[in-house]
Amino acid sequence: MNTSASAWISPNRRSATTTRRTGTSPHAAGLITSVHSPDDLLPAAYALARELAVAIAPNSAAVIRRALVAMAAHGSPEAAFALDKKTIPHASTSPDLAEGISSFLEKRPPRFTGVAATDLPDLAAWLNR
């Protein structure tokens, strides 16, 4: 299953049941990764944002944002499939793919060079349909 669609299907399937959830059950089910007190929430959010900014290629982050917008606007995993169909072929030829693999294998921080504003295929027409 492709990642975008699985991101839409899994939480929605789980939340559609009538099972009563406790405060810890979403964590145990893998729907959330951590729980923080109100005082610790903002620092934890900033730490996660810094981690994502370094670990994720800018083009990938842009595609993820667009996929979330598409799924919200269209209310269906089909929107994610359509977006994947346009972006996966592009990603497979991106220098950032090679850099991501190399940095992982070499256990070093990635040095992505892609620029989302200029390196992604035009998705505006698709998103506005």
Side-chain angles (χ1 to χ4, degrees):
M1 175 177 287
N2 85 32
T3 305
S4 295
S6 65
W8 189 89
I9 293 169
S10 296
N12 285 293
R13 181 177 355 152
R14 288 187 188 125
S15 63
T17 67
T18 58
T19 305
R20 184 176 166 92
R21 306 281 185 213
T22 66
T24 58
S25 63
H27 190 266
L31 295 175
I32 57 174
T33 57
S34 60
V35 178
H36 302 279
S37 70
D39 291 339
D40 294 335
L41 183 58
L42 194 56
Y46 282 134
L48 177 60
R50 279 189 297 278
E51 179 184 335
L52 293 175
V54 170
I56 296 177
N59 288 342
S60 294
V63 169
I64 291 167
R65 283 192 306 271
R66 290 178 184 183
L68 291 171
V69 168
M71 287 187 294
H74 296 277
S76 147
E78 299 305 318
F81 289 135
L83 187 65
D84 284 350
K85 188 175 179 181
K86 289 187 77 96
T87 57
I88 288 174
H90 173 77
S92 66
T93 61
S94 167
D96 283 347
L97 173 65
E99 173 56 21
I101 293 169
S102 295
S103 66
F104 175 78
L105 293 174
E106 296 168 10
K107 298 181 181 5
R108 62 170 172 79
R111 295 182 296 267
F112 298 117
T113 58
V115 178
T118 57
D119 295 344
L120 287 177
D122 181 24
L123 302 173
W126 180 85
L127 287 173
N128 294 327
R129 67 182 177 126

